[in-house]
């Protein structure tokens, strides 16, 4: 029996955990469609935090303690940049700089960002395919009391402290989906929406013209995983952001966001009482323990999601 | 009595040593006009090896053991670049990358390279002025049996092994001197040509239209220091290069190169017998110990050169 093709839509840390779970399953051929909308230029170099978190995680290079960045990292280059008067609130380690230098040089030569991301993943030994949803520039901006700011400014510099009044995704209307992303959705046996932030990780993927349509038209079942457990996220600002933007901050709120797209929504056992509300919103609720604290937990959750998918015919 | 303004034309390691000697003299206001013709782009970043060697040396950041590069350096970024398939024969450390990233970002914003170099030196705490001879691109190319190659390819990758058949300085005819370099020559009390490689460090400075003329028209005495001791250089390929290109490989050969420009040539005691030949070529020979093995030696030589310069009037 051939391996099952799982296409995962994933943001940063939460998406990387889910990706690791599927990558650990021997009978899965994994493609990750990552988020590029938190990309930003620092010191003239193009930085792709979400994509790199997935790549580093699947390559086994991730700093396990913090969940992002590279192990055996140091900050000599950034220290010099600070001495030279540059703003260095965005931590970029020396190994990480190597990647950003490489990516920036290749982008400057006109190479497709998605080809660069694929080559980088392969060079680091990642077996899964890492696919960009678009080669065009899409950037999440956050409206705060102080006006519109860049996502990394909100997320890293201000540590998600400001109240979010609105979000926009600059460039998304004009962005074109990559053929690789469309193919990964059309050819999937199972499409999974990772327990990432639905508003700043998944929406800027789905909002690229053609991507949501490709998900809807795909033959494969679409399973979303709620990032909320008992109304709270494990990590990040998704819960506060959902509240601030008028969403219900629970599994039903997630179901409402993915209604019409996901046939099923995996919700945590702690949220079993919300199953009826989820079903009423659209997706069929699937109750499982969703906390991924170690590799065994990631693999278990991935396996349980895979079990929702019919065996492939050929 | 005001401090004496010394303007030093200097290449990399030898020039940096001489610069350190003058910088150690309390009564000297030092300006270094460095060499940009060994600049080259690596991994999309603009690298200025000679300028940086002078800057790092005067900032006290130099790796004393090797005479170039920064102390407490590591190679994490380069290791990643190698993993990603890039050519990494040019060693670039993590701290060094910080500087190259900064410089490249500012150049991309259209800032003058000489302003960047000045700011970098100040940020690193260098008291001397570091001045570029031009803001335009000048690049030394080396003709070998295998054809024309870049200077760093010859110097670093091939370790100066190929026989040099010819040199050229791409862009030099169209290059314009910086106003800072012209002012430093016009306002000097003493102009010194460091014991750098005359063909690949000093010539690409003097060959920039207007620079040699400014040296000749300057009121200050011009003193060159021979990089050869008993027909050999302390470091680098200058002796072999001079021989290959048809120069006499001794103090007289140096005197011939700087004839018409330098009023005096400091030659080593080991070359005292060549004094008559030096004088016949043009410059007045000045016999001194020229080997600079430690800071005391550098300061002593600088002091002896300064003693050749009349006291300033004002």
């Amino acid at each position: 029996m051939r391996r099952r093709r799982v296409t995962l839509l994933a943001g940063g840390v939460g998406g990387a955990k889910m990706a690791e779970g599927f990558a650990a399953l021997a009978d899965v051929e994994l493609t990750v469609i990552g988020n590029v909308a938190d990309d930003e230029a620092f010191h003239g170099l193009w930085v792709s935090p979400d994509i790199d978190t997935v790549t580093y995680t699947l390559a086994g290079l991730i700093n396990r303690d913090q969940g992002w960045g590279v192990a055996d990292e140091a900050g000599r280059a950034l220290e010099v940049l600070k001495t030279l008067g540059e703003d260095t609130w965005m931590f970029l380690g020396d190994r990480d700089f190597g990647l950003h230098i490489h990516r920036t040089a290749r982008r400057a030569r006109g190479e497709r960002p998605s080809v660069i991301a694929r080559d980088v993943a392969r060079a680091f030994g990642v077996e899964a395919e890492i696919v960009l949803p678009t080669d065009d520039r899409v950037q999440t901006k956050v409206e705060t009391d102080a006006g519109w700011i860049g996502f990394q400014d909100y997320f890293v510099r201000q540590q998600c402290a400001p109240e979010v009044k609105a979000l926009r995704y600059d460039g998304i209307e004009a962005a074109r989906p990559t053929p690789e992303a469309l193919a990964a959705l059309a050819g999937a046996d199972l499409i999974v929406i990772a327990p990432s932030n639905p508003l700043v990780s998944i929406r800027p993927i789905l909002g690229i013209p053609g991507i949501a349509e490709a998900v809807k038209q795909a033959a494969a079942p679409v399973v979303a995983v709620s990032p909320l457990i008992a109304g709270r996220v494990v990590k990040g600002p998704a819960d506060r952001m959902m509240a601030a933007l008028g969403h219900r901050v629970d599994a039903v709120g997630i179901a409402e966001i993915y209604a019409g797209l996901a046939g099923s929504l995996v919700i945590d056992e702690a949220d079993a009482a919300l199953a009826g509300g989820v079903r009423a919103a659209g997706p069929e609720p699937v109750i499982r323990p969703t906390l991924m604290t170690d590799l065994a937990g990631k693999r278990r959750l991935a396996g349980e999601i895979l079990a929702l998918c019919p065996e492939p015919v050929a």
Side-chain angles (χ1 to χ4, degrees), chain A residues 137-138 169-176 203-209:
Chain A
R137 186 178 300 192
V138 177
Y169 313 99
D170 283 358
I172 202 162
E173 295 83 3
R176 292 149 300 175
R203 192 169 272 175
I205 302 174
L206 291 171
I208 292 161

Side-chain angles (χ1 to χ4, degrees), chain A residues 228-289:
Chain A
L228 297 176
I229 299 178
R232 297 181 58 182
V233 282
V234 177
K235 195 171 188 305
D239 43 11
R240 289 177 44 231
M241 207 179 257
M242 285 176 71
L245 296 174
H247 294 276
R248 268 186 70 156
V249 191
D250 62 12
V252 177
I254 300 291
E256 287 167 352
I257 290 173
Y258 293 137
L261 210 70
S264 324
L265 179 67
V266 179
I267 64 174
D268 193 73
E269 292 171 325
D271 297 321
L274 296 170
V278 167
R279 186 175 293 116
E284 184 58 27
V286 178
I287 302 165
R288 296 284 185 279

Side-chain angles (χ1 to χ4, degrees), chain A residues 85 152 161:
Chain A
Q152 298 301 338

Side-chain angles (χ1 to χ4, degrees), chain A residues 8 18 30 91 113 118 124 141 144 177 182 195 208 234 270 310:
Chain A
L8 177 73
M18 191 76 263
L30 177 65
F91 179 77
R118 180 200 65 192
F124 283 149
K141 305 287 176 182
T144 70
L182 297 179
I208 292 161
V234 177

Side-chain angles (χ1 to χ4, degrees), chain A residues 50-301:
Chain A
D50 272 6
I51 299 298
D52 292 350
T53 293
V54 172
T55 302
Y56 288 144
T57 300
L58 291 179
L61 297 171
I62 203 81
N63 181 328
R64 292 273 161 206
D65 295 335
Q66 60 190 21
W68 56 270
V70 193
D72 180 33
E73 189 52 294
R76 287 182 170 86
L78 200 70
E79 196 182 309
V80 168
L81 285 161
K82 189 174 186 180
T83 299
L84 294 172
E86 301 214 13
D87 263 346
T88 53
W89 50 264
M90 182 74 177
F91 179 77
L92 299 166
D94 297 324
R95 290 188 187 280
D96 205 31
F97 264 123
L99 170 51
H100 306 320
I101 291 166
H102 175 77
R103 171 168 41 227
T104 303
R106 291 181 63 177
R107 288 174 68 107
R109 289 200 294 268
E111 289 196 60
R112 288 174 55 204
S114 51
V115 169
I116 303 168
R118 180 200 65 192
D119 291 351
V120 165
R122 288 181 184 169
F124 283 149
V126 174
E127 285 182 28
E129 286 291 313
I130 295 187
V131 164
L132 304 193
T134 181
D135 286 318
D136 298 318
R137 186 178 300 192
V138 177
Q139 284 186 306
T140 300
K141 305 287 176 182
V142 179
E143 192 183 18
T144 70
D145 282 335
W148 287 96
I149 58 175
F151 181 73
Q152 298 301 338
D153 188 344
Y154 162 79
F155 190 69
V156 176
R157 185 155 79 114
Q158 307 198 45
Q159 302 278 309
C160 308
E163 182 86 349
V164 174
K165 300 171 64 181
L167 294 169
R168 66 169 205 249
Y169 313 99
D170 283 358
I172 202 162
E173 295 83 3
R176 292 149 300 175
T178 58
E180 291 84 356
L182 297 179
L185 293 167
D189 295 311
L190 173 66
I191 296 172
V192 179
I193 298 176
S196 299
N197 186 320
L199 303 178
V200 297
S201 291
I202 303 301
R203 192 169 272 175
I205 302 174
L206 291 171
I208 292 161
I211 296 281
E213 292 69 13
V215 172
K216 284 177 195 162
Q217 285 163 18
V222 180
V223 179
V225 183
S226 171
L228 297 176
I229 299 178
R232 297 181 58 182
V233 282
V234 177
K235 195 171 188 305
D239 43 11
R240 289 177 44 231
M241 207 179 257
M242 285 176 71
L245 296 174
H247 294 276
R248 268 186 70 156
V249 191
D250 62 12
V252 177
I254 300 291
E256 287 167 352
I257 290 173
Y258 293 137
L261 210 70
S264 324
L265 179 67
V266 179
I267 64 174
D268 193 73
E269 292 171 325
D271 297 321
L274 296 170
V278 167
R279 186 175 293 116
E284 184 58 27
V286 178
I287 302 165
R288 296 284 185 279
T290 61
L291 196 62
M292 296 180 279
T293 48
D294 56 11
L295 183 58
K298 294 167 195 168
R299 184 197 285 142
R300 182 199 46 72
L301 181 58

